[in-house]
Amino acid sequence: MELRVGTPPFSILAIADTGTDLIWGSTASPAPSATNSQASSKVIFGCAAVVAGSKVTTPMTVEGTFFVLRLEEIIVDGAGSVPVPPSAPGLRTGNIIIGSGTTINFLPAGVLSSLVQEVSRVVSLPKATDPDGTLPLCFTVTGEPDRQKLPCITFKFAGEASVRLTPKTMFMDEVSFDGLMVCLAVADSGFSTPIFGNTAQQNLHGYDLDILTVSFASVDCTEV
């Protein structure tokens, strides 16, 4: 069968196993790694879709087709924190949607500007310019030692749900005439709704629509 998931929705093929309580869907990784560009994982629905192990949980509300969260602050390792306004355009109950159909994160201009300042404080790599002009902070890299200079960034959601994101999920590879660069995977949301994108969500989360929560737990989704 065909399932449509995400905001905006996209289609995946799934198999309903009548002998269990599972629906299996094979999906392409939203941001393939350098070592496995064809990575895939399973989408698990129903009673067996349990987020096990150490996890943090935040309340979720539903507004139309959007799953809405409340982001309180963003913390950059080795630098400072950036507070996030409690309201956002187009939302009544929170200030950011969690979107499986959007690749990067979108934040209000003031939050994004402060985040760029905090990240710039702790990264000594040469700055570069995104050739598309979308991502406001990029750095030139020559190899893995340069990538190790990038900080982890924590998104703190309501309910003391602090989600620590590694450079692999907060920075994206870009190529320009000047060579390889990495860019902070965050853009200006402008007058639109802020979005927590799917690159940041890799190997992290599970939804519970019965009690309206999102749980974040580190797991290798290709091994589920």
Side-chain angles (χ1 to χ4, degrees), residues 9-192:
F10 63 94
S11 298
I12 63 173
L13 296 178
I15 299 174
D17 185 348
T18 57
T20 72
D21 56 1
L22 300 182
I23 299 176
W24 301 96
S26 180
T27 64
S29 171
S33 68
T35 57
N36 188 359
S37 61
Q38 300 299 320
S40 64
S41 62
K42 298 181 179 69
V43 179
I44 303 176
F45 300 87
C47 298
V50 176
V51 180
S54 177
K55 63 183 178 182
V56 295
T57 300
T58 188
M60 174 182 71
T61 56
V62 180
E63 296 189 24
T65 60
F66 294 148
F67 292 156
V68 182
L69 308 180
R70 185 172 297 282
L71 178 63
E72 296 179 341
E73 65 177 328
I74 303 171
I75 305 164
V76 179
D77 277 16
S81 65
V82 178
V84 180
S87 61
L91 298 177
R92 302 184 307 275
T93 58
N95 59 1
I96 193 167
I97 65 173
I98 181 166
S100 58
T102 302
T103 303
I104 64 174
N105 307 291
F106 287 88
L107 295 173
V111 175
L112 177 58
S113 176
S114 297
L115 178 60
V116 166
Q117 289 180 9
E118 294 300 325
V119 174
S120 298
R121 286 175 53 194
V122 294
V123 179
S124 59
L125 298 171
K127 287 188 177 180
T129 301
D130 176 20
D132 295 328
T134 302
L135 305 177
L137 183 62
C138 301
F139 301 98
T140 299
V141 294
T142 58
E144 188 59 31
D146 284 345
R147 295 176 185 276
Q148 293 177 1
K149 298 177 182 178
L150 301 171
C152 292
I153 298 175
T154 299
F155 278 53
K156 183 181 178 183
F157 295 95
E160 298 298 320
S162 294
V163 183
R164 192 165 187 262
L165 303 172
T166 68
K168 288 185 178 180
T169 54
M170 277 304 298
F171 292 84
M172 300 178 63
D173 286 352
E174 297 284 348
V175 179
S176 72
F177 293 111
D178 297 325
L180 183 63
M181 66 177 72
V182 293
C183 297
L184 184 67
V186 186
D188 185 352
S189 60
F191 294 103
S192 300

